Amino acid sequence: MTDKSRVTFLIVDDDSVAVMAIKRTLRKLRLTNPVEVARDGQEALDLLQGNGISPIKKPYIILLDLNMPRMSGLEFLAVVREDKELANSVVFVLTTSDAPSDIAAAYRHKIAGYIVKENASETISTAISMLDSYTEIVSFDK
Amino acid sequence: MGRRSLLFRLRAGAIFLVFSGLFSLCGVWYTLDWLGGKAKDLTTETSSLLQVTRKIPEMSLKVGSFPARLLDSTQTAELAEMRRETQITFSEIIPLASLVGENEGLDFKSGQSAFQDLLAVQEKFIAESTKIDALVNAEILRLNRMSRAIRQARSSVMLDFVTAAAETSERQSSVNVLFEFSEFESNVTTLIVLTQSLPTLPAEAALGLRSNVIRQIDAMTTTLGRLPESSERSALAKDMNNYRAAFLGLGGGFDMVVTLVTLEQSRRALLDQAIGFVGTLVDWSENVTSKSTADFEMALVNIQNRIAAARSIGVTVTLFFWIGCVLLFWYLLEMRLFRRLAGITGHIREMNDGHLSTALRVSGNDEVGEVEEAVDRARILARDLTDRNEELHRFAYVAAHDLRAPLRAVKSLISWTIEDHGDVLPDEARENLDTMDARLTRLSELLAALLDYARAGQVEEEIGVFDLTEFASDLRQVYFPDKNFEILIAGIPPVIETYPTPIQTILLNLVSNAIKHHDRPDGRIVLDAAFTPTGMRFRVSDDGPGIPKKYQDRIFVLFQTLKSRDDVEGSGLGLALIQKLAISFGGSVFVLSNPEVARGCVFEVHLPFGAAVKPFTPKEIAA
């Protein structure tokens, strides 16, 4: 449990209800990992690269929405995969878009999974329970 | 209009070519005909020339032989023959000469009359000579008789002299008589010789004999006078006188000779005239012959020149004609038609490949230009349509997607409220929240259906195999497992190669509709697939209430439902989506139902064969 709790979840989503839903699901699953929230890609980059603030400690899992202002999820992914420090980050795309073009574009950026927020709480719940097992792998990795 | 018609120009070009071909054919025909006429003229000219060149020398030779023959002839029959020949020859040569046309200085009439006069003179000459011959013969007989009479008289004198011993004087006189007789006899003999030589000598020489004859006759008269009177002497004297009369009298032998001399003179003059004519004739015939030959050669050269001219004209005309043809058709067909058609075809191919931004340059103000304009208009329309479609897709997608996010948020909030505070909420509030949740679910489904509709027809998957038998078992086991509906397959449906998802979506929606709109809790749905001559036909039949005829047009319209959404949960997009998918295959969908006659409803989907739909062949499994 101690190992697991060290993995930080970075939620990148501009929709506060979506963030609430994720947090609520994590709480329901009794995951006590630290949770950071960024409202768009740029903010998430600032958090990860420590631009003006202290960067998020590794290990972390990024839960990324695609459709956001300023810097979209796909743009964020492109920058992350170019950045040497961040290139190996574990990223799950958690979005409302089930457009095949979005899914294909996301997988081209080597994401760990693509979760469609179809039926809000249920899908998020199953998705995050899947994440739960993934956090263990990440923590072993460290 | 101001449009210049290419087709008109092509047709005009073709007509022009046909007519100029005919025209040049006429030209060739005319030239050949003209040459034929010329050759015929030459033949006519040549045949008369050949006649002239062949006959005239022959005739002039014949005419030339006339004088010599004439002089040789002594028979009147020969002369008559010659007269006939002369007439014939002249009657032949005169028309020939007039054919040649150039007979100046040649007087055939005077030539012919000279010949005829000559013949007449010769006839008279012969007649006169004959008369002389007859006279000479008669007189020589007379002279011979005289000679015999003298010899008789002398023998009787000699007998008297021998038998009678006559007186010396008598004897002397007898000797004298004998002597006289002898002299007379020698004179007669001389006269005979003279007379005989008369016809053999030329007339003028014969005339010279006259004085000899007179002298002889005088001598004989003297001798005769010396003879004693006797009967013999009288007879001899009579003969002498007769002879003299015959030769020296008026119209006698020597007058005849004089006539002969005159005839000979005129004959010589006429002969000169005739020979002169013959000379002129021979010269003329030589001239005519050489002139004819020259004319013939000139005519031949002329014809050769004309043939050469006709040939060079023909070659030039044909050459220009063909060059004109080649240039005209190269310009009209190659430059104005084929290249531009190739350009248009290439452009249409590019348009088919989706390159719609490059404009097609309009290359002329004619039919092809019109086609180019039309193609470019079609390109602009296609581009606009593509743009609009993309915009529409984007709009539908973004609208549906962006609408779902807040919807989901509200749904989440409602469910959290019920979850966290359901116990403390009044029942009414709780019910309202439940209704809100149900309506939100419906809205969400509507948006999902709208998104499906917007995306329908955008092929993004690989071609695969679709087998209705397998899909029917999926329908039974996966999609509608707990319904009281039988899902059956009629016969053994064929397997096709296609994009499976749209076909599945179509059939799934049709089966789902059949179940959803059924008026009984249980029923039977029959699926069936078959090849038609042009494509594939799917059929979904149910035993539900059917669709009244008057509504059948409306069911394919977007968001049209025949029942309240509270009675039957439906987006109103199912059939519109099916139709859109069928159309994206180039196919169609229609409904067969008549509730007034029978229950049930049949939906038929027709998909034509093509790249997206074709019969599956097991060979490709092996591959």
Side-chain angles (χ1 to χ4, degrees):
Chain A
M1 219 39 205
T2 45
D3 277 341
K4 231 193 250 185
S5 64
R6 281 165 59 195
V7 177
T8 308
F9 286 103
L10 171 58
I11 303 171
V12 190
D13 202 323
D14 62 326
D15 184 349
S16 59
V17 179
V19 176
M20 276 170 68
I22 295 166
K23 284 184 172 173
R24 199 181 158 87
T25 311
L26 290 174
R27 210 163 48 238
K28 265 188 182 171
L29 293 169
R30 286 189 224 97
L31 292 172
T32 54
N33 302 51
V35 175
E36 293 284 338
V37 178
R39 299 183 61 79
D40 58 54
Q42 188 56 55
E43 209 177 306
L45 270 183
D46 291 343
L47 279 172
L48 290 170
Q49 292 169 338
N51 296 342
I53 45 166
S54 57
I56 298 172
K57 280 182 227 153
K58 291 185 177 181
Y60 49 77
I61 288 176
I62 303 169
L63 303 176
L64 180 68
D65 186 22
L66 291 182
N67 199 6
M68 291 178 297
R70 282 220 291 175
M71 182 187 272
S72 76
L74 291 173
E75 286 168 330
F76 170 80
L77 274 172
V79 175
V80 164
R81 294 301 177 217
E82 288 296 305
D83 188 307
K84 273 188 183 169
E85 285 289 307
L86 307 177
N88 292 322
S89 305
V90 176
V91 181
F92 282 82
V93 173
L94 193 62
T95 179
T96 49
S97 169
D98 56 353
S101 59
D102 281 347
I103 298 171
Y107 273 107
R108 272 198 291 277
H109 288 297
K110 300 177 206 153
I111 54 164
Y114 192 101
I115 302 153
V116 180
K117 297 187 261 182
E118 195 50 59
N119 194 332
S121 49
E122 284 170 40
T123 31
I124 290 175
S125 174
T126 34
I128 289 179
S129 61
M130 184 182 83
L131 275 184
D132 187 20
S133 47
Y134 208 90
T135 52
E136 288 171 25
I137 300 164
V138 173
S139 43
F140 297 146
D141 258 5
K142 88 174 155 127
Chain B
M1 253 317 262
R3 206 168 264 290
R4 290 164 64 214
S5 173
L6 179 66
L7 292 182
F8 172 77
R9 280 186 287 163
L10 271 171
R11 287 196 188 111
I15 289 169
F16 168 76
L17 281 181
V18 167
F19 274 97
S20 51
L22 280 178
F23 180 75
S24 62
L25 212 63
C26 286
V28 169
W29 187 83
Y30 174 79
T31 313
L32 287 179
D33 190 52
W34 177 80
L35 277 175
K38 284 287 153 198
K40 204 174 162 190
D41 286 355
L42 184 71
T43 315
T44 321
E45 244 173 79
T46 309
S47 74
S48 67
L49 280 179
L50 283 177
Q51 216 179 340
V52 169
T53 45
R54 196 181 66 236
K55 279 212 166 169
I56 282 183
E58 188 187 306
M59 295 205 166
S60 65
L61 213 67
K62 201 167 192 176
V63 172
S65 73
F66 280 163
R69 278 178 66 196
L70 199 114
L71 288 181
D72 286 346
S73 59
T74 49
Q75 303 293 316
T76 41
E78 257 178 85
L79 286 175
E81 172 61 27
M82 276 191 68
R83 185 182 292 278
R84 212 175 51 81
E85 272 183 41
T86 313
Q87 251 169 10
I88 289 169
T89 309
F90 272 93
S91 70
E92 278 178 1
I93 201 168
I94 288 171
L96 272 183
S98 71
L99 203 67
V100 176
E102 287 179 25
N103 46 7
E104 287 161 25
L106 194 66
D107 192 348
F108 280 102
K109 238 181 196 156
S110 72
Q112 194 176 5
S113 70
F115 273 96
Q116 275 166 353
D117 292 350
L118 194 60
L119 280 166
V121 166
Q122 184 69 10
E123 268 172 9
K124 279 183 195 161
F125 192 87
I126 288 172
E128 215 59 38
S129 298
T130 313
K131 265 160 78 184
I132 288 172
D133 284 348
L135 184 71
V136 165
N137 287 339
E139 292 311 312
I140 281 174
L141 282 179
R142 188 195 300 276
L143 289 174
N144 284 337
R145 199 171 62 233
M146 281 167 76
S147 191
R148 269 201 311 278
I150 290 166
R151 276 200 300 278
Q152 256 181 332
R154 198 177 56 188
S155 355
S156 68
V157 169
M158 275 182 68
L159 201 65
D160 284 347
F161 182 76
V162 174
T163 54
E167 298 278 317
T168 314
S169 60
E170 273 185 27
R171 279 196 189 213
Q172 185 63 44
S173 79
S174 290
V175 169
N176 283 345
V177 168
L178 282 175
F179 186 75
E180 292 301 332
F181 271 130
S182 294
E183 197 177 327
F184 194 78
E185 195 189 349
S186 106
N187 282 339
V188 168
T189 310
T190 308
L191 203 60
I192 285 170
V193 170
L194 279 175
T195 309
Q196 269 176 337
S197 72
L198 191 72
T200 61
L201 288 171
E204 277 181 49
L207 207 56
L209 289 179
R210 196 176 188 252
S211 56
N212 288 0
V213 170
I214 290 171
R215 206 164 42 243
Q216 207 65 37
I217 286 174
D218 284 347
M220 282 166 75
T221 311
T222 315
T223 313
L224 209 60
R226 279 201 297 271
L227 285 175
E229 184 58 52
S230 65
S231 62
E232 284 88 359
R233 196 184 79 153
S234 331
L236 285 172
K238 201 180 164 195
D239 278 338
M240 274 297 296
N241 278 333
N242 282 342
Y243 181 86
R244 176 194 279 271
F247 278 95
L248 299 172
L250 195 67
F254 280 100
D255 277 1
M256 286 178 193
V257 172
V258 168
T259 311
L260 269 187
V261 168
T262 322
L263 282 173
E264 205 165 35
Q265 276 167 356
S266 66
R267 191 175 71 173
R268 198 172 293 123
L270 283 169
L271 205 57
D272 284 348
Q273 211 181 324
I275 286 169
F277 172 75
V278 167
T280 321
L281 184 68
V282 168
D283 286 351
W284 172 79
S285 86
E286 276 170 8
N287 279 342
V288 162
T289 310
S290 63
K291 191 181 160 295
S292 296
T293 315
D295 280 358
F296 180 68
E297 280 169 2
M298 218 174 80
L300 267 185
V301 168
N302 204 5
I303 283 278
Q304 275 170 351
N305 288 343
R306 280 168 181 181
I307 287 173
R311 190 176 49 214
S312 62
I313 288 171
V315 165
T316 315
V317 166
T318 314
L319 203 67
F320 274 100
F321 175 71
W322 280 112
I323 289 173
C325 284
V326 167
L327 285 180
L328 185 73
F329 277 91
W330 179 75
Y331 177 71
L332 284 182
L333 287 179
E334 176 61 28
M335 297 299 286
R336 301 304 298 163
L337 191 60
F338 295 156
R339 288 196 186 185
R340 293 161 71 201
L341 282 182
I344 292 173
T345 316
H347 203 84
I348 288 174
R349 274 197 206 111
E350 269 187 30
M351 278 167 62
N352 275 342
D353 293 345
H355 304 289
L356 295 170
S357 51
T358 39
L360 177 60
R361 199 175 58 81
V362 174
S363 60
N365 190 17
D366 52 22
E367 287 87 344
V368 178
E370 232 172 311
V371 172
E372 286 166 341
E373 279 171 19
V375 167
D376 206 49
R377 272 201 298 277
R379 178 192 65 83
I380 291 168
L381 281 176
R383 189 193 59 196
D384 290 354
L385 196 63
T386 312
D387 290 353
R388 297 270 161 77
N389 260 349
E390 267 171 27
E391 218 170 277
L392 201 64
H393 278 302
R394 214 161 27 241
F395 170 76
Y397 172 73
V398 168
H401 185 266
D402 287 2
L403 285 173
R404 278 162 93 189
L407 195 63
R408 187 172 303 108
V410 175
K411 253 178 96 70
S412 298
L413 289 169
I414 288 170
S415 69
W416 296 339
T417 308
I418 295 169
E419 228 174 274
D420 298 351
H421 312 290
D423 305 342
V424 295
L425 281 173
D427 284 353
E428 215 175 319
R430 181 69 205 266
E431 271 173 37
N432 283 345
L433 282 176
D434 284 343
T435 314
M436 259 165 83
D437 192 46
R439 288 292 184 277
L440 283 172
T441 305
R442 188 188 294 169
L443 182 55
S444 182
E445 278 167 6
L446 266 175
L447 286 173
L450 192 62
L451 204 54
D452 282 344
Y453 182 79
R455 284 198 208 132
Q458 290 175 316
V459 178
E460 275 157 5
E461 66 178 328
E462 301 277 306
I463 290 258
V465 176
F466 177 77
D467 183 356
L468 185 60
T469 317
E470 275 176 29
F471 186 63
S473 73
D474 281 357
L475 283 176
R476 270 181 234 116
Q477 288 162 17
V478 181
Y479 293 98
F480 310 104
D482 48 358
K483 301 270 180 189
N484 298 320
F485 283 91
E486 276 185 281
I487 299 174
L488 304 173
I489 293 174
I492 302 164
V495 180
I496 56 167
E497 263 187 82
T498 185
Y499 300 104
T501 309
I503 309 279
Q504 287 170 358
T505 308
I506 289 172
L507 293 173
L508 189 60
N509 270 284
L510 286 175
V511 172
S512 156
N513 277 350
I515 294 170
K516 215 185 316 182
H517 297 284
H518 210 285
D519 53 352
R520 292 176 190 161
D522 54 357
R524 168 183 290 200
I525 296 158
V526 181
L527 299 178
D528 142 39
F531 288 139
T532 65
T534 55
M536 180 80 189
R537 192 226 339 108
F538 288 105
R539 190 183 281 158
V540 177
S541 326
D542 65 53
D543 54 358
I547 301 168
K549 285 261 178 211
K550 59 176 176 177
Y551 296 127
Q552 287 179 5
D553 289 340
R554 288 171 59 182
I555 56 173
F556 294 105
V557 179
L558 207 62
F559 288 121
Q560 282 285 342
T561 52
L562 298 182
K563 286 183 184 170
S564 160
R565 287 194 173 87
D566 288 341
D567 296 337
V568 176
E569 276 296 339
S571 60
L573 280 165
L575 283 173
L577 176 67
I578 287 166
Q579 194 172 43
K580 193 178 171 186
L581 286 172
I583 287 170
S584 78
F585 277 95
S588 58
V589 55
F590 52 91
V591 61
L592 301 167
S593 177
N594 192 356
E596 287 171 23
V597 178
R599 284 177 61 82
C601 174
V602 177
F603 279 92
E604 271 194 14
V605 181
H606 287 262
L607 305 176
F609 289 131
V613 177
K614 52 187 169 191
F616 172 74
T617 46
K619 194 177 81 185
E620 297 186 29
I621 281 181

